[in-house]
Amino acid sequence: MAAQAWNRIHIAQCLGERGGGRSPAEEFGPLATKFQRRLIVGVGSASLVAVGANFAGITTFLLGFSPQTARNLKLDVLYPIAGYSRCFDPKEGFEFIYPANWVGDQTVLYRATKRREIERSLDPPPLNPRPRSSVNEPLVAFGPPGSTGELNVSLIVSPVAQDFSIEAFGGADEVGEAVIRSITGSGQRPDVKGTLVKSSLREDLVRNVKYYEIEFRVESPSFRRHNVSVCCARGGRLFTLNAQAPESAWPRFKSDFYTIADSFTLLST
């Protein structure tokens, strides 16, 4: 008993010398507070990293609470929002959204990379350059992974006269019929038939752009496809966005196609 009493006195004296008579709770209270603050900061930093990296889809989930606001901020260029990603090209002056699970067409990406390499090359141009193909290739194209190209969305930008006007063809229906004639070769390809489903005009009064939205079917002995296209012109360039799907797949993708077409916009110049 005497030894135990002596130990208690010795411990009390040691604590008194170290803490000035304070209890252990009082002495270690500031340290606990500092540890709690660091823990909170650490958790907050980890949360920011998780959001920034879209870990486990956290960012996409959060942005889904206000998809239109997030799209207005162009956040869908980085993170899918409500099932869609954004193709944003300020250099060419356009943007549109497409299904987030679609990927870029590898052939189009390869050709675009080769064009950029040629543009940046320090070598002199060849003395006998090959003539450029008269067939316009898509500037961008997206489709489901592993698809054969029958289901995709693509954009072609073609040079036209500075005074070119789509309105010269007439109203939305006349423009639609003109597009179908260009596809079927104005009757020169009797095995290919085109049928206009519907057409409409969407006007952007702020940017002074008219978008002709056209839905049509194209069929031949070897295929039947459903298309939704958007045509507009500005500054000597004709923009043609086209989303196509096999007719059998149309019911599953019609909502996506309408969303893509409605989102296509030329950027302010």
Side-chain angles (χ1 to χ4, degrees):
M1 292 294 294
Q4 293 179 355
W6 168 254
N7 288 336
R8 286 197 296 269
I9 293 173
H10 179 70
I11 293 173
Q13 288 176 344
C14 291
L15 291 175
E17 293 174 358
R18 182 178 60 195
R22 294 179 299 171
S23 67
E26 292 174 333
E27 183 176 0
F28 294 105
L31 182 60
T33 302
K34 183 181 294 185
F35 175 77
Q36 184 181 28
R37 184 167 60 250
R38 289 183 177 178
L39 178 63
I40 293 174
V41 172
V43 171
S45 300
S47 299
L48 290 176
V49 171
V51 170
N54 199 25
F55 180 73
I58 292 175
T59 308
T60 297
F61 173 75
L62 295 176
L63 294 177
F65 285 108
S66 183
Q68 193 54 51
T69 300
R71 283 175 179 158
N72 291 339
L73 294 173
K74 304 290 190 285
L75 295 180
D76 47 358
V77 174
L78 301 174
Y79 311 109
I81 297 176
Y84 292 92
S85 296
R86 181 176 301 271
C87 176
F88 178 72
D89 192 330
K91 179 181 178 181
E92 297 294 340
F94 68 86
E95 62 179 340
F96 62 91
I97 63 176
Y98 59 92
N101 62 335
W102 287 15
V103 297
D105 184 284
Q106 296 302 310
T107 301
V108 173
L109 291 176
Y110 173 77
R111 291 173 179 169
T113 302
K114 293 296 291 184
R115 284 196 300 269
R116 285 194 293 268
E117 289 177 353
I118 293 173
E119 291 173 358
R120 292 195 300 262
S121 175
L122 299 178
D123 296 332
L127 296 178
N128 296 308
R130 295 179 180 179
R132 295 187 63 180
S133 173
S134 59
V135 177
N136 289 315
E137 296 180 351
L139 193 63
V140 294
F142 301 93
S147 63
T148 60
E150 290 188 344
L151 172 61
N152 68 8
V153 57
S154 62
L155 176 69
I156 292 177
V157 181
S158 310
V160 293
Q162 285 288 335
D163 59 350
F164 175 83
S165 173
I166 299 180
E167 292 89 334
F169 291 93
D173 288 343
E174 287 77 13
V175 172
E177 294 292 352
V179 169
I180 292 176
R181 286 196 300 271
S182 68
I183 294 173
T184 60
S186 299
Q188 297 179 8
R189 300 171 61 188
D191 59 326
V192 179
K193 296 181 180 180
T195 304
L196 180 64
V197 177
K198 65 179 180 180
S199 58
S200 61
L201 174 62
R202 170 167 55 96
E203 293 191 66
D204 185 340
L205 299 178
V206 175
R207 296 181 176 89
N208 191 28
V209 180
K210 294 182 178 180
Y211 303 91
Y212 289 85
E213 300 185 2
I214 306 157
E215 180 181 340
F216 59 95
R217 290 190 295 268
V218 179
E219 52 188 309
S220 76
S222 58
F223 66 83
R224 296 177 67 235
R225 296 196 184 109
H226 208 113
N227 297 60
V228 174
S229 295
V230 182
C231 303
C232 62
R234 186 174 67 183
R237 296 194 298 170
L238 174 64
F239 296 80
T240 306
L241 178 81
N242 183 65
Q244 67 175 16
E247 189 65 43
S248 58
W250 167 249
R252 288 186 288 127
F253 291 97
K254 60 185 297 185
S255 177
D256 288 327
F257 279 22
Y258 293 151
T259 299
I260 293 171
D262 292 341
S263 71
F264 178 65
T265 308
L266 299 187
L267 304 176
S268 299
T269 56

